[in-house]
Amino acid sequence: MADSIETRLTGGHPNSLGNTIEVVEDVLAQPALFDELFHGYFSEDEVVRLRVSNAMKRICKANRSLLLPYIDRFQTDIAAIDQASTQWTLASLFSMLDKDMSPAQLQKAREIVQHNLATHDDWIVLNTSMETLATWAKKDEALKAWLMPHLTRLSQDSRKSVKGKATKWLAKLNK
């Protein structure tokens, strides 16, 4: 019997991809494995959850249709996971899937990303949340009005990447 996806994503250096690429290739070749990969988000192992997030972004880029039936679960079950890698992945996935979401799903995605931008301090969560929200704000004046004070606040951040991203989007949205 083959090892489970969770087992395959376990071990190695926490910042490495481990077997993520091979798992992605297997899921793309056998889409029935997607559900097992999705359930890796519920692993007790933080590294497994990080690698699942990485795999999700890769799969979304290669075959977004695999994620579509799971949008609601990303917005409920996965959004509830208190882990930075999950939160920054959701911002990326919601951006990639925005044209595939219903108006209610898009509103929920917006609320999740807004919450993460307003309440989290992880630099990658902040950067990906800013990117997603600012892209949406180009076509949404209410979102733009909500976002501008957050961008102003983050343009004073001590971290160069956060400060730079906020400053860039302030300039773009003020045009």
Side-chain angles (χ1 to χ4, degrees):
M1 181 171 160
D3 285 340
S4 72
I5 287 177
E6 181 175 356
T7 300
R8 293 172 62 198
L9 294 177
T10 301
H13 191 278
N15 290 338
S16 77
L17 288 175
N19 294 317
T20 304
I21 304 300
E22 294 82 3
V23 167
V24 167
E25 290 169 354
D26 289 350
V27 170
L28 291 171
Q30 301 173 54
L33 293 173
F34 185 86
D35 193 64
E36 183 183 348
L37 174 64
F38 182 84
H39 280 86
Y41 270 125
F42 306 107
S43 172
E44 293 294 320
D45 186 338
E46 181 177 322
V47 174
V48 169
R49 295 191 307 266
L50 170 70
R51 291 176 181 157
V52 168
S53 284
N54 186 286
M56 288 296 172
K57 288 189 292 190
R58 292 171 186 275
I59 290 168
C60 191
K61 288 176 185 173
N63 185 357
R64 65 201 284 136
S65 67
L66 292 176
L67 282 79
L68 299 181
Y70 290 80
I71 290 173
D72 291 333
R73 295 212 45 213
F74 277 109
Q75 294 184 335
T76 55
D77 301 344
I78 308 311
I81 298 171
D82 186 19
Q83 182 172 336
S85 63
T86 301
Q87 294 153 355
W88 79 61
T89 297
L90 287 176
S92 296
L93 291 178
F94 293 157
S95 179
M96 288 187 272
L97 297 169
D98 64 356
K99 290 173 181 48
D100 300 299
M101 287 191 254
S102 71
Q105 288 172 326
L106 195 53
Q107 178 60 33
K108 181 69 173 169
R110 177 179 148 170
E111 291 167 5
I112 291 165
V113 180
Q114 283 177 291
H115 172 78
N116 289 343
L117 183 67
T119 63
H120 291 279
D121 194 47
D122 178 87
W123 70 273
I124 304 175
V125 172
L126 294 173
N127 283 346
T128 56
S129 297
M130 277 190 278
E131 190 79 27
T132 296
L133 292 169
T135 300
W136 290 342
K138 290 188 284 186
K139 297 178 183 176
D140 183 334
E141 285 299 319
L143 179 57
K144 180 179 174 182
W146 179 91
L147 182 59
M148 295 304 278
H150 290 280
L151 293 176
T152 300
R153 170 180 58 87
L154 292 169
S155 72
Q156 304 303 310
D157 196 273
S158 62
R159 295 162 292 186
K160 187 176 179 179
S161 68
V162 174
K163 181 178 183 171
K165 180 83 66 180
T167 302
K168 174 188 109 171
W169 280 111
L170 276 170
K172 282 187 176 188
L173 292 173
N174 274 323
K175 284 185 179 177

